[in-house]
Amino acid sequence: QVQLVESGGGLVQAGGSLRLSCAASGRTLNTPRMGWFRQAPGKEREFVAHIRWSGGGSARYADSVKGRFTISRDNAKDTVYLQMNSLKPEDTAVYYCACGGWYSGSYDEATAYAYWGQGTQVTVSS
């Protein structure tokens, strides 16, 4: 099994930045896709970003965060990051990292990911 632990959430003013981390442990060979999702109160879980543990290809982003958020990885540390810049109040949510397989579904759908972290709260004040 894969265990994911998020960290780095907190309080920040609009326009500020935060860097979230997702540390993975266990077998990740069968879960090559890593994603970030978020869920605000009263809303559905929303796709944020996706990256592969290895190989080529570009990272994927939701339109709402494109140009502001950057997903990256450090394979030596088994860690995926989400750098969030120019934060807006509407970015306020619990942020989750997740991992899934190649053929479990689309990268931007929560149902494609089998393992999830506990979430970390991001609050952006105006």
Side-chain angles (χ1 to χ4, degrees):
Q1 295 185 5
V2 177
Q3 184 176 7
L4 305 173
V5 180
E6 304 99 331
S7 62
L11 304 174
V12 65
Q13 290 183 268
S17 299
L18 284 174
R19 189 191 192 194
L20 305 183
S21 299
C22 175
S25 61
R27 297 181 69 252
T28 59
L29 293 177
N30 294 325
T31 55
R33 303 195 302 189
M34 296 294 300
W36 283 98
F37 288 76
R38 65 187 183 186
Q39 188 165 20
K43 296 184 178 180
E44 295 182 354
R45 191 170 299 178
E46 176 188 21
F47 168 75
V48 176
H50 163 272
I51 197 171
R52 301 176 184 178
W53 279 116
S54 62
S58 300
R60 310 283 185 173
Y61 299 94
D63 289 340
S64 59
V65 306
K66 192 174 298 182
R68 299 188 297 120
F69 291 11
T70 302
I71 188 170
S72 62
R73 68 190 183 214
D74 186 338
N75 292 91
K77 297 181 178 180
D78 291 327
T79 300
V80 175
Y81 303 95
L82 184 68
Q83 178 67 46
M84 305 184 295
N85 298 325
S86 301
L87 283 163
K88 305 174 181 179
E90 51 262 44
D91 294 318
T92 295
V94 177
Y95 283 70
Y96 300 90
C97 66
C99 60
W102 290 119
Y103 308 110
S104 56
S106 178
Y107 68 89
D108 60 348
E109 297 179 354
T111 54
Y113 297 84
Y115 301 97
W116 295 82
Q118 82 286 354
T120 185
Q121 177 70 48
V122 172
T123 302
V124 184
S125 64
S126 60

